[in-house]
Amino acid sequence: MATGRVDLDGNTIKPITICMIGAGGFIGSHLCEKLMADTPHKVLAVDVYNDKIKHLLEPSSLPWADRIQFHRLNIKNDSRLEGLIRMADLTINLAAICTPADYNTRPLDTIYSNFIDALPVVKYCSENGKRLIHFSTCEVYGKTIGAFLPKDSPLRQDPNYYVLKEDSSPCIFGSIEKQRWSYACAKQLIERLIYAEGAENGLEFTIVRPFNWIGPRMDFIPGIDGPSEGVPRVLACFSNNLLRREPLKLVDGGQSQRTFVYIKDAIEAVLLMIENPARANGHIFNVGNPNNEVTVRQLAEMMTQVYSKVSGESSIETPTIDVSSKEFYGEGYDDSDKRIPDMTIINRQLGWNPKTSLWDLLESTLTYQHRTYAEAIKKATSKPVAS
Ligand SMILES: NC(=O)c1ccc[n+]([C@@H]2O[C@H](COP(=O)([O-])OP(=O)(O)OC[C@H]3O[C@@H](n4cnc5c(N)ncnc54)[C@H](O)[C@@H]3O)[C@@H](O)[C@H]2O)c1
Ligand SMILES: O=c1ccn([C@@H]2O[C@H](COP(=O)(O)OP(=O)(O)O[C@H]3OC[C@@H](O)[C@H](O)[C@H]3O)[C@@H](O)[C@H]2O)c(=O)[nH]1
């Protein structure tokens, strides 16, 4: 671990204690890894699961063993939460239901998780004068303005109609029966509440809007380390199809566009926020890679090519199939058409830029998926079916 580290203004960084809620998830596991390897900070890691951070917790001889403690608790109903927030200098809240397959099928759980369960965290930070970094989402932007223009309108090519800006873009969601937007709407309301706590009660806050962060340990592979009928986010869905040599399913033709950023690049941005409070407080930050834009169809094609390279297996004859959103996600699904983050605020405040190309990040991620899951999938698929 480096000593004598300085912040962006040349001041020595003092070790702090961080209460990280949702530390056992995808982003939390990478953030814990980074904080243990490269900083002197302490982490009170709160989650209901710890499988993704087990390698940081055991054995107790690890060099950072006295800097990370796991607290297994559900923030919905555990009175220990306030005590942990009071013990820390900073709280980072990552806890959420955040897989689209849940938004329209479990809208109540989605709204409770993303709004109601986050309320006490905001309240305890505000009442105890503690700093909060809250994880929101790029989905708060919803659809682009351009999505409502005629298909052949030249204005669709104008960035003013699609680039998403923290301080000026509107939040455009579908109608109430499109329950997909339950998540985005809950996230938007908690953002507004945090902002209001800052304005009226002086809460020191930073809001992060991740734009499709991807990498190792994201979600689960159905039937291996998660339920066989479960539907994770697209990286894990496509990885699962590639591992099982099944066609990748393109929802509604795979025409939606996304920008993907490598988790390790994005974690650098979060570390800058943690260690530069004077530059990060009071801001909402887009964190994404505007240079890595693809349609979902292009993502499927690239993942197929990269997976062939890293596994040494040829791709199957029909690598993709089309499926309707109703069939794949059920009633009430809707989609964001395009997501390009404006980078002005994060550049200005923190000087952060992503580095990794989509090809490179897929190569390292699919190498991980192949090494971690290929054998387990072979075993699972060769088991005789019980008669
Ligand atoms: N990964 C992305 O690209 C992305 C994009 C936009 C927003 N986000 C936001 O970032 C945050 C983290 O996302 P992630 O990708 O790491 O998801 P994740 O599902 O891997 O992690 C969330 C973690 O929170 C925990 N959790 C949920 N409810 C809890 C509760 N009641 N008590 C204790 N722990 C609880 C879960 O067990 C899980 O480990 C979420 O708020 C999500 O909405 C992520
Ligand atoms: O097998 C699949 C899975 C997904 N998809 C499509 O791929 C796109 C991306 O899907 P993801 O599951 O990664 O989720 P989305 O990008 O729509 O939303 C995500 O965005 C930001 C976060 O807040 C959440 O992690 C999640 O809501 C969607 O258009 C989806 O319809 C497929 O075509 N096939």
Side-chain angles (χ1 to χ4, degrees):
M1 181 245 306
T3 49
R5 298 166 63 252
V6 292
D7 67 16
L8 292 172
D9 298 304
N11 306 308
T12 303
I13 295 169
K14 294 195 191 86
I16 57 166
T17 299
I18 301 169
C19 173
M20 194 190 299
I21 305 166
F26 162 58
I27 296 176
S29 72
H30 286 273
L31 188 52
C32 286
E33 237 171 35
K34 181 76 181 173
L35 289 166
M36 292 304 110
D38 292 352
T39 82
H41 307 309
K42 288 191 175 157
V43 173
L44 308 173
V46 174
D47 206 303
V48 282
Y49 304 113
N50 68 7
D51 319 35
K52 294 184 185 186
I53 51 170
K54 268 237 161 81
H55 61 294
L56 299 173
L57 303 170
E58 290 165 11
S60 59
S61 57
L62 285 167
W64 48 73
D66 60 337
R67 290 196 290 115
I68 184 162
Q69 264 175 30
F70 178 65
H71 297 263
R72 191 181 300 278
L73 61 95
N74 187 332
I75 63 163
K76 268 185 197 303
N77 49 25
D78 201 305
S79 58
R80 288 173 293 171
L81 180 63
E82 184 171 11
L84 291 168
I85 290 176
R86 287 166 75 134
M87 275 165 67
D89 303 289
L90 162 69
T91 293
I92 301 180
N93 190 6
L94 295 148
I97 288 178
C98 53
T99 38
D102 292 316
Y103 308 163
N104 58 318
T105 55
R106 299 169 57 204
L108 284 176
D109 288 341
T110 301
I111 294 167
Y112 273 79
S113 168
N114 284 283
F115 181 66
I116 306 286
D117 299 347
L119 281 177
V121 178
V122 181
K123 181 171 159 259
Y124 298 148
C125 287
S126 192
E127 287 174 354
N128 292 289
K130 301 292 184 178
R131 188 178 169 219
L132 170 67
I133 298 182
H134 184 83
F135 272 69
S136 180
T137 173
C138 58
E139 284 211 15
V140 295
Y141 294 109
K143 299 175 188 243
T144 65
I145 312 173
F148 296 88
L149 293 169
K151 286 263 177 292
D152 56 354
S153 167
L155 290 177
R156 278 185 175 241
Q157 309 309 317
D158 179 343
N160 286 320
Y161 290 82
Y162 62 80
V163 173
L164 303 169
K165 298 186 180 178
E166 297 93 329
D167 51 2
S168 59
S169 294
C171 302
I172 309 175
F173 305 152
S175 60
I176 302 299
E177 73 264 26
K178 296 285 184 200
Q179 296 204 75
R180 158 62 183 252
W181 303 108
S182 58
Y183 167 78
C185 194
K187 287 279 203 198
Q188 186 199 155
L189 190 54
I190 198 77
E191 279 201 23
R192 291 192 185 274
L193 185 111
I194 291 168
Y195 197 90
E197 278 290 347
E200 292 191 33
N201 295 326
L203 172 69
E204 290 184 343
F205 73 86
T206 301
I207 290 170
V208 187
R209 291 182 179 167
F211 280 64
N212 293 76
W213 300 9
I214 60 173
R217 295 198 291 271
M218 186 169 195
D219 300 334
F220 58 91
I221 296 298
I224 303 296
D225 54 5
S228 39
E229 70 288 359
V231 181
R233 286 169 285 188
V234 69
L235 175 80
C237 285
F238 286 175
S239 300
N240 183 40
N241 299 144
L242 290 164
L243 283 153
R244 294 178 190 275
R245 298 185 65 72
E246 297 166 352
L248 281 58
K249 292 181 178 159
L250 299 177
V251 172
D252 293 339
Q255 290 313 301
S256 296
Q257 291 169 293
R258 294 289 187 273
T259 50
F260 293 95
V261 64
Y262 191 34
I263 182 70
K264 291 187 194 299
D265 288 353
I267 290 294
E268 296 283 347
V270 182
L271 188 58
L272 285 167
M273 293 174 208
I274 293 172
E275 297 191 324
N276 292 275
R279 288 168 175 259
N281 282 347
H283 288 284
I284 300 177
F285 291 112
N286 286 344
V287 180
N289 187 337
N291 304 318
N292 280 348
E293 190 185 34
V294 278
T295 62
V296 173
R297 178 178 291 277
Q298 287 165 335
L299 175 74
E301 287 162 0
M302 200 186 277
M303 283 182 67
T304 304
Q305 271 181 303
V306 172
Y307 191 71
S308 282
K309 183 178 167 196
V310 302
S311 67
E313 293 166 10
S314 59
S315 54
I316 60 171
E317 207 167 299
T318 314
T320 59
I321 49 164
D322 284 359
V323 47
S324 73
S325 54
K326 192 165 172 199
E327 207 181 316
F328 193 80
Y329 288 112
E331 206 69 65
Y333 182 74
D334 199 1
D335 208 355
S336 299
D337 54 306
K338 185 173 174 78
R339 286 184 184 156
I340 306 231
D342 181 79
M343 305 291 285
T344 311
I345 296 181
I346 197 157
N347 279 171
R348 185 189 67 213
Q349 295 302 117
L350 302 171
W352 177 83
N353 276 302
K355 302 186 199 97
T356 313
S357 69
L358 186 55
W359 179 277
D360 288 352
L361 78 85
L362 288 177
E363 198 165 319
S364 54
T365 306
L366 292 181
T367 302
Y368 170 88
Q369 302 289 54
H370 184 66
R371 284 200 193 129
T372 311
Y373 295 108
E375 274 308 310
I377 296 254
K378 254 190 214 137
K379 270 195 201 137
T381 46
S382 64
K383 268 191 198 144
V385 184
S387 54

